[in-house]
Amino acid sequence: MVGSQLCVRYLYPSDSCCTPHGRPFILLTITMCTVYYGPVINPQSVTDYLALPQCLICVSPQGDIEWIVEDVESTKLNDVLTQHDCAPSDITLVRLHDGEFLMPGLVDTHTHACQVPNLGVGGELELLQWLDNYTFPTEARFKDVEYAKRAYPDAVRRIVNSGTTTCCYYGSLHLEATKVLASLVHAAGQRAFVGKCNMNWNCPPNYIEPSVKESVDTTLALFKYIEDLPKAACGEPLLHPILTPRFALSCTEELLTRLGDIAQKNPKLAIQTHISENKSEVELAKSLFKTNSYAEVYDKFHLLRDNTVLAHGVHLTEDEMVLIAKRGSGVAHCPTSNFYLSSGMARVGMLLDHGVKVGLGTDVAGGYSPSILTEIQHASIASKMLAIQAVDNKKCKCSEGRSESSSSEEDSHSRGRRGHKHHECQCDCECDEKQSGRFTSQKLSIAALLYLATLGGAGVCCLQDRIGSFEQKKAFDALLVSVRDETGNPAVWGYNPGRDLTQGVTAQSADKSLIEWLERFLFCGDDRNIKKVIVQGRTIGGRDYHPAQ
């Protein structure tokens, strides 16, 4: 049985399924591979993704991708399954309906679970005032563990149902409340990093850690708690601890030194913090720590490395970008929050040109939505505004009238491949476009936005070898998306052939339709369009998810 596995479970007298004499009862179960057949979107790079109208993906019982065939005509489906030794009785075949497609799950590289109750309030203020007046009072409530037990289940469920399969969570500074968060994320089956904030300086009297020792001790206690949780069926943990100095302004040099020591002793331990979100914050950090830049603060304390996630980076200088790229750190781009708190627009294109890893983050509740789809939309707007500003400053006349994706059309449809590539100046001029790089001051393409939300975010989390795209041996973290009218989303002009189909479906039109479905989902979709949220092959959320009571 290549497509299935035999599992043996021994039930003992304490179980409910024993024999009347109390002897163990052997229960045999067969776990099958799941094979998905239908339209698939598969990101490849910042400039390219695959749109595959009739793709076949086989997922093992442990939730890893066993094999992929990119183009399978329906009449040849059984032949392909036979070639892979998959008898119909040995697999669960999932055929997608018209108007549905699979894509990799969304990666949220930065959010605050303890701020979900604060969504949508305080946007008239900027960062530092917003923290004092809204955020810190909300987070302080999590001192009450019973409140955490009431609030966190809703927070986690909303984030999962928004399509987030991997999430970097900030908890509050409270150990017990953050344990509650970690246990809920673990029970939900989401892939995640959970950290307790370290903050012993420049914080309100009722929301500050009393000593460096308590900050460090509670952090290490959380790490142990998370590491002791059971592993997933695949044999690896889905939940990881993450070192979380809130930001430089909230940590004394002594605390940052101790956290840096912890990081150096644990090179695989992920780190998350904030950087260069607000101009006042940047100037204050440089003043307090006597450095030339914000990034130098973290580098000084050995907190800048390949598994460091830096939120925002709105006001990073090019020298800082060079340093961050050299250290291998990643930036969580949080455009909704950056707009909402009037922080500015991060220069994502310039970060990419400097070789900095970039993903997307909701930054709840600076960002007023738990959905990465909202970040995709605002990342697009931010990049267009930066491009408009650049054109207003200096314009390359040679680029007028050229399409950014025209060069990629010719090879698009032979196997459903669709490459969205940024236009690069090909003339002999010395314009700013040529000097600044491929992405600087350019609007982000659909391929780039998709990449940031999936494979780019995976890279920021150092998980690019496990998630972010569909490849053999990677984990099957996916969304089953529907753009059918029946989803009830009024913003999506959904799949409705009785209304819209005027001619027969060809391979080319199917490819084009899939690309349009993706764009409609990214810009108009919401949780109503997400039928299933799948992590490590297991459905954990979405409209069709009905957990056992």
Side-chain angles (χ1 to χ4, degrees):
M1 292 183 294
V2 174
S4 60
Q5 294 185 2
L6 183 66
C7 296
V8 180
R9 178 186 171 203
Y10 292 89
L11 297 177
Y12 287 89
S14 58
D15 294 310
S16 59
C17 299
C18 295
T19 65
H21 302 289
R23 290 190 291 270
F25 179 80
I26 300 176
L27 179 66
L28 300 180
T29 59
I30 296 177
T31 54
M32 296 183 174
C33 288
T34 302
V35 178
Y36 293 88
Y37 178 60
V40 169
I41 295 291
N42 197 7
Q44 303 293 292
S45 69
V46 183
T47 58
D48 192 20
Y49 68 91
L50 302 180
L52 307 165
Q54 39 192 13
C55 182
L56 201 59
I57 301 178
C58 179
V59 181
S60 74
Q62 291 74 35
D64 289 334
I65 297 172
E66 291 205 342
W67 49 264
I68 301 176
V69 182
E70 292 182 350
D71 188 12
V72 180
E73 295 180 11
S74 58
T75 56
K76 298 179 180 178
L77 176 58
N78 288 335
D79 292 340
V80 174
L81 290 173
T82 300
Q83 290 170 10
H84 287 85
D85 296 323
C86 289
S89 59
D90 290 345
I91 63 170
T92 299
L93 180 63
V94 179
R95 290 177 180 262
L96 274 61
H97 299 293
D98 292 333
E100 297 178 350
F101 64 90
L102 286 170
M103 64 174 285
L106 303 175
V107 180
D108 187 345
T109 58
H110 178 68
T111 201
H112 297 261
C114 51
Q115 292 180 26
V116 173
N118 218 31
L119 281 168
V121 295
E124 74 279 6
L125 301 178
E126 292 191 9
L127 173 66
L128 299 181
Q129 296 75 30
W130 174 78
L131 287 171
D132 288 337
N133 288 277
Y134 290 95
T135 304
F136 289 154
T138 297
E139 293 189 17
R141 295 187 64 186
F142 285 85
K143 180 179 181 181
D144 179 359
V145 179
E146 294 306 312
Y147 176 69
K149 291 177 181 178
R150 297 194 302 271
Y152 275 145
D154 283 349
V156 172
R157 180 46 49 196
R158 292 177 190 213
I159 292 168
V160 169
N161 285 341
S162 295
T164 300
T165 53
T166 298
C167 191
C168 294
Y169 286 103
Y170 282 60
S172 63
L173 62 76
H174 310 104
L175 171 61
E176 295 307 318
T178 310
K179 285 182 179 179
V180 171
L181 172 62
S183 64
L184 287 166
V185 172
H186 178 266
Q190 188 183 36
R191 195 181 302 274
F193 297 82
V194 172
K196 183 200 76 65
C197 278
N198 301 107
M199 41 191 294
N200 72 331
W201 196 31
N202 296 320
C203 299
N206 69 328
Y207 191 54
I208 187 170
E209 293 179 305
S211 67
V212 169
K213 183 178 187 303
E214 178 163 323
S215 183
V216 170
D217 288 349
T218 53
T219 294
L220 296 176
L222 178 66
F223 290 175
K224 185 178 188 306
Y225 179 82
I226 291 174
E227 290 166 350
D228 286 345
L229 291 171
K231 295 180 180 180
C234 60
E236 65 185 52
L238 299 181
L239 180 64
H240 305 274
I242 185 166
L243 193 65
T244 309
R246 187 184 193 106
F247 64 155
L249 304 188
S250 70
C251 300
T252 61
E253 290 202 11
E254 182 185 358
L255 178 55
L256 289 174
T257 299
R258 292 291 302 278
L259 297 180
D261 291 342
I262 293 171
Q264 287 185 292
K265 292 175 182 176
N266 300 275
K268 293 184 179 180
L269 175 66
I271 304 167
Q272 62 182 358
T273 190
H274 298 76
I275 192 170
S276 300
E277 180 178 356
N278 173 278
K279 287 184 178 180
S280 298
E281 171 209 10
V282 172
E283 293 306 314
L284 187 54
K286 289 173 7 182
S287 173
L288 290 173
F289 292 94
K290 312 301 181 188
T291 59
N292 294 319
S293 73
Y294 203 151
E296 284 184 21
V297 177
Y298 295 127
D299 198 44
K300 174 182 177 182
F301 294 101
H302 309 289
L303 295 170
L304 210 58
R305 62 188 193 188
D306 65 341
N307 51 4
T308 298
V309 182
L310 300 166
H312 300 287
V314 175
H315 303 288
L316 290 170
T317 65
E318 289 199 60
D319 286 343
E320 287 179 295
M321 293 181 190
V322 171
L323 174 61
I324 291 169
K326 183 178 180 180
R327 297 290 184 259
S329 305
V331 170
H333 179 37
C334 308
T336 304
S337 174
N338 297 340
F339 281 132
Y340 188 61
L341 297 180
S342 304
S343 299
M345 295 179 290
R347 296 175 292 177
V348 172
M350 187 176 290
L351 287 165
L352 292 171
D353 281 334
H354 279 85
V356 177
K357 300 181 294 187
V358 184
L360 296 179
T362 56
D363 189 35
V364 168
Y368 50 75
S369 168
S371 174
I372 286 293
L373 293 176
T374 306
E375 302 311 315
I376 290 171
Q377 295 150 23
H378 290 155
S380 176
I381 293 170
S383 72
K384 289 173 182 175
M385 290 304 302
L386 289 169
I388 289 169
Q389 291 175 355
V391 170
D392 287 343
N393 293 331
K394 281 190 178 181
K395 197 171 188 179
C396 171
K397 294 182 183 288
C398 64
S399 66
E400 291 180 358
R402 298 184 64 169
S403 167
E404 72 175 50
S405 61
S406 59
S407 64
S408 64
E409 296 287 347
E410 293 182 2
D411 67 342
S412 294
H413 299 291
S414 60
R415 292 174 60 198
R417 188 177 186 90
R418 175 77 170 183
H420 291 253
K421 302 182 188 300
H422 289 267
H423 160 61
E424 294 180 76
C425 180
Q426 302 295 326
C427 71
D428 294 327
C429 73
E430 294 299 324
C431 66
D432 285 347
E433 181 185 353
K434 181 173 281 188
Q435 295 172 355
S436 61
R438 297 182 68 193
F439 304 109
T440 301
S441 301
Q442 301 293 310
K443 63 183 179 181
L444 294 171
S445 66
I446 298 299
L449 294 167
L450 175 66
Y451 173 85
L452 294 177
T454 55
L455 196 54
V460 169
C461 298
C462 294
L463 292 174
Q464 68 276 6
D465 293 334
R466 290 295 289 148
I467 61 168
S469 63
F470 297 135
E471 296 179 31
Q472 188 177 18
K473 296 185 180 180
K474 277 192 172 185
F476 188 67
D477 287 15
L479 303 183
L480 175 53
V481 176
S482 173
V483 292
R484 296 169 66 92
D485 267 358
E486 63 201 41
T487 63
N489 183 348
V492 174
W493 189 260
Y495 176 82
N496 187 335
R499 178 189 61 205
D500 299 325
L501 193 61
T502 57
Q503 55 186 336
V505 177
T506 64
Q508 184 172 349
S509 66
D511 185 10
K512 181 181 178 182
S513 294
L514 177 52
I515 292 164
E516 290 180 353
W517 293 351
L518 172 65
E519 292 190 37
R520 292 181 193 275
F521 175 62
L522 295 184
F523 287 97
C524 305
D526 59 28
D527 60 301
R528 287 169 290 189
N529 300 105
I530 300 173
K531 294 188 68 176
K532 292 184 178 182
V533 179
I534 303 168
V535 173
Q536 199 65 48
R538 186 169 74 91
T539 300
I540 68 165
R543 285 172 59 100
D544 287 358
Y545 175 65
H546 303 290
Q549 299 298 324

